[in-house]
């Protein structure tokens, strides 16, 4: 096996700025997106994820401008999500310089959208984002709207469905763990990673470098995503790669 | 120097153009769907995303298939991802034939092979993998053997002539990820998204006058 496990810093953006909050509340400013992206690129990030958390029609133009500005200077893959509802939204993001687009709520409203998007643009650029919460009775349920709205869908079954419909990757976020800095929901990650043939990105809950290692080793993820541990200078991407390498995980040398 | 990035309506051409501008600030990089511009350009780049039958259909419909054939026969030519796959004769992705400039087929990663040897290899093959250089070529200049490049694909070429294989990658078995023949070089990976090694490959292409 020589495919490297990926480390993906996630930049939550709102109004053209990078922000980070606990469970999508209490947003704090974390910097200019282009500056942050350049720093991560220089540190050896394998990919960058942008999530427009206040996706609104008025701020859409700001997002496209921001993606263009980042794509002009950073030559690694960019995944962009938040408020992606139509194939035209996907086209606009790809034209702005995104390599992959993540779809969340729109897929739940209309699962056929995943099929349509994948047919139009190819599985390699369609990421299905799944936000899940633990159920008291066991298993996990899919949520939308930043974890506020329950859908009644079982997360593992939903992952299978979006993969079958042509999503080329799954971005899996535990809404229980998100922002809590206590590590990924490893059981959730493992359940989804084992259920689908497409790569899975683990997200939500990273507070220490060992959590990244656990996501790969215990969770079976193909990539790990984190935000706050990188944004505030606590750890660099290089620190994260060193920790993965020390644990025997293959990573790309920057 | 003019470098034409062929725009037939498929995929993210902006990144390819921006990366070329980054490594060749003095060149004129044009994203074009104009056959005459492709015919005049000193370097031609054929990118591509999505499915091979769709790409071929769009290339034919846009009237750019013939200018692409002419460029591939005469000038330094770089195919990227689907721009590599379309050079071959057939694809398992659909019945539409490719350009047939190179003998061979495009196939899907073999499901049975993906589970072999412990760790399961997922499809699409997504991320940074090592490119094992097969023979020397000006486009590999200054790039260490086994450097990592970014991949995002489910299909790969199987050339009839092993002599054109310029690079291979293990996933988990070896597949052809780069080919070189006369003035043609093509990659299954995305040099425009492959950081330093990718930019170096693009710079090498700009500096390459062909065989």
């Amino acid at each position: 096996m020589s495919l490297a496990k990926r480390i993906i810093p996630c930049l939550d953006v709102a109004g053209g700025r990078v922000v980070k909050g606990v469970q999508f509340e209490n947003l704090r400013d974390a910097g200019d997106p282009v500056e942050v992206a350049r720093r991560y690129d220089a540190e050896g990030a394998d990919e960058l994820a942008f999530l427009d958390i206040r996706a609104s029609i008025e701020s859409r133009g700001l997002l496209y401008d921001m993606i263009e500005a980042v794509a002009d200077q950073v030559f690694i893959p960019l995944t962009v999500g938040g408020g992606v509802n139509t194939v035209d939204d996907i086209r606009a993001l790809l034209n702005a310089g995104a390599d992959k687009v993540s779809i969340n709520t729109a897929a739940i409203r209309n699962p056929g959208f995943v099929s349509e998007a994948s047919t139009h643009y190819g599985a390699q650029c369609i990421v299905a984002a799944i936000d899940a919460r633990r159920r008291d009775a066991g298993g996990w349920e899919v949520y939308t709207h930043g974890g506020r709205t329950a859908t009644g869908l079982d997360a593992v079954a939903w992952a299978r469905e979006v993969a079958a419909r042509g999503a080329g990757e799954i971005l899996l976020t535990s809404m229980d763990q998100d922002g809590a800095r206590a590590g990924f929901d490893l059981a959730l990650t493992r359940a989804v990673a084992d259920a689908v043939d497409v790569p899975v990105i683990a997200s939500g809950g990273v507070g220490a470098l060992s959590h990244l290692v656990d996501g790969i080793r215990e969770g079976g993820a193909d990539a790990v995503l984190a935000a706050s541990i990188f944004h505030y200078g606590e750890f660099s991407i290089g620190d994260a790669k060193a920790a993965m390498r020390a644990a025997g995980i293959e990573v790309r040398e920057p | 120097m003019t470098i034409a990035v062929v725009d037939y309506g498929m995929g993210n051409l902006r990144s390819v153009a921006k990366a070329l501008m980054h490594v060749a600030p003095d060149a004129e990089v044009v994203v074009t769907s104009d056959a005459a511009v492709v015919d005049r350009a000193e370097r031609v780049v054929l990118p591509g995303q999505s499915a091979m039958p769709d790409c071929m259909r769009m290339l034919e419909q846009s009237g750019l298939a013939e200018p692409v054939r002419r460029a591939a026969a005469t000038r330094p030519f770089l195919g990227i991802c689907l721009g590599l796959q379309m050079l071959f004769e057939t694809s398992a992705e659909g019945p539409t034939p490719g350009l047939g400039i190179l003998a061979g087929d495009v196939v899907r990663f073999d499901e049975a092979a993906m589970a072999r040897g412990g760790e399961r290899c997922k499809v699409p093959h997504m991320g940074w993998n090592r490119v094992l250089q097969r023979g020397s070529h000006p486009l590999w200049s200054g790039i260490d053997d086994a450097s990592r490049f970014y991949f995002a694909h489910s299909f790969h070429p199987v050339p009839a002539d092993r002599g054109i294989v310029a690079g291979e990658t293990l996933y988990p078995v070896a597949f052809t990820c780069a080919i070189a023949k006369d003035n043609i070089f093509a990659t299954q990976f995305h040099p425009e998204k492959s950081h330093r090694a990718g930019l170096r490959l693009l710079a090498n292409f700009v500096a390459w006058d062909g065989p």
Side-chain angles (χ1 to χ4, degrees):
Chain A
M1 184 72 173
S2 52
L3 181 66
K5 300 296 183 186
R6 288 167 283 157
I7 296 181
I8 308 175
C10 178
L11 290 73
D12 286 349
V13 297
R17 299 287 294 179
V18 179
V19 293
K20 183 65 190 171
V22 175
Q23 299 187 330
F24 289 162
E25 308 287 330
N26 308 317
L27 298 175
R28 289 162 68 190
D29 193 277
D32 170 61
V34 178
E35 270 174 43
V36 178
R38 289 181 73 162
R39 174 161 65 83
Y40 290 148
D41 174 53
E43 286 179 9
D46 297 309
E47 195 169 317
L48 296 174
F50 295 89
L51 179 65
D52 187 5
I53 60 170
R54 286 272 184 275
S56 63
I57 291 155
E58 310 85 70
S59 70
R60 215 56 186 165
L62 288 174
L63 178 71
Y64 299 146
D65 292 348
M66 189 204 82
I67 299 301
E68 284 189 9
V70 171
D72 287 357
Q73 303 191 32
V74 173
F75 301 104
I76 57 174
L78 310 176
T79 299
V80 186
V84 177
N85 293 309
T86 66
V87 290
D88 287 339
D89 292 338
I90 297 173
R91 182 179 302 119
L93 287 169
L94 295 177
N95 286 342
D99 299 284
K100 300 187 255 187
V101 170
S102 73
I103 302 174
N104 190 336
T105 310
I108 290 157
R109 268 201 305 264
N110 170 23
F113 180 47
V114 177
S115 320
E116 188 190 1
S118 182
T119 304
H120 262 73
Y121 300 105
Q124 84 293 331
C125 76
I126 303 301
V127 180
I130 300 178
D131 295 343
R133 277 190 195 283
R134 237 170 270 126
R135 272 175 170 145
D136 292 340
W140 298 267
E141 181 172 354
V142 179
Y143 277 70
T144 60
H145 298 93
R148 293 190 302 273
T149 312
T151 64
L153 293 166
D154 174 76
V156 176
W158 178 239
R160 278 203 195 94
E161 172 160 4
V162 290
R165 285 180 177 277
E169 195 162 41
I170 289 174
L171 169 52
L172 178 67
T173 304
S174 161
M175 301 311 293
D176 298 305
Q177 300 301 101
D178 192 52
R181 303 176 60 85
F184 297 117
D185 183 333
L186 296 173
L188 167 67
T189 308
R190 173 56 74 181
V192 171
D194 284 350
V196 297
D197 289 323
V198 301
V200 172
I201 305 168
S203 157
V206 175
L209 297 179
S210 62
H211 295 155
L212 300 172
V213 171
D214 293 343
I216 303 287
R217 278 255 184 98
E218 314 292 323
D222 301 279
V224 285
L225 180 143
S228 62
I229 61 158
F230 300 131
H231 291 334
Y232 301 115
E234 213 175 323
F235 297 106
S236 68
I237 304 290
D239 295 334
K241 290 204 166 171
M244 301 256 273
R245 210 176 296 119
I249 297 168
E250 198 165 342
V251 290
R252 165 185 160 248
E253 306 294 330
Chain B
M1 181 202 293
T2 302
I3 305 170
V5 178
V6 183
D7 179 7
Y8 53 101
M10 297 300 281
N12 178 357
L13 308 178
R14 185 189 164 84
S15 297
V16 174
K18 287 290 171 183
L20 286 164
M21 288 174 198
H22 188 83
V23 300
D26 297 330
E28 192 194 345
V29 178
V30 285
V31 175
T32 184
S33 50
D34 184 337
V37 174
V38 176
D39 276 334
R40 275 198 307 270
E42 283 113 324
R43 301 273 185 283
V44 173
V45 179
L46 181 66
Q49 275 181 348
S50 186
M52 150 108 160
D54 293 341
C55 282
M56 272 311 300
R57 192 169 41 79
M58 294 294 283
L59 192 65
E60 301 279 3
Q61 278 175 11
S62 59
L64 291 164
E66 286 315 310
V68 163
R69 279 181 215 279
R70 284 194 287 272
T74 53
R75 283 155 288 154
F77 182 95
L78 179 64
I80 299 173
C81 197
L82 265 295
L84 171 152
Q85 295 185 5
M86 285 192 291
L87 299 175
F88 288 88
E89 294 165 301
T90 71
S91 170
E93 214 169 352
T96 314
L99 290 164
I101 293 167
L102 302 174
D105 307 305
V106 173
V107 302
R108 196 168 204 276
F109 279 110
D110 177 28
E111 297 285 345
M114 302 319 284
R116 219 173 279 159
E119 198 172 359
R120 189 163 56 128
C121 290
K122 300 209 163 179
V123 179
H125 173 225
M126 179 94 72
W128 300 79
N129 208 337
R130 294 189 185 282
V131 170
L132 311 171
Q133 298 170 15
R134 298 297 181 231
S136 65
H137 191 280
L139 265 69
W140 293 135
S141 169
I143 299 171
D144 288 341
D145 190 18
S147 290
R148 289 185 189 276
F149 288 83
Y150 181 75
F151 290 83
H153 64 120
S154 303
F155 293 78
H156 64 83
V158 181
D161 172 12
R162 289 284 305 163
I164 69 168
V165 176
E168 288 186 297
T169 289
L170 303 177
Y171 195 66
V173 294
F175 73 90
T176 300
C177 69
I179 61 99
K181 190 187 184 208
D182 305 327
N183 54 298
I184 299 172
F185 197 91
T187 65
Q188 182 60 67
F189 53 84
H190 290 269
E192 78 281 9
K193 288 289 164 181
S194 295
H195 208 248
R196 233 167 293 152
L199 293 176
R200 180 60 196 255
L201 189 145
L202 293 177
N204 290 341
F205 172 69
V206 173
W208 183 44
D209 289 319

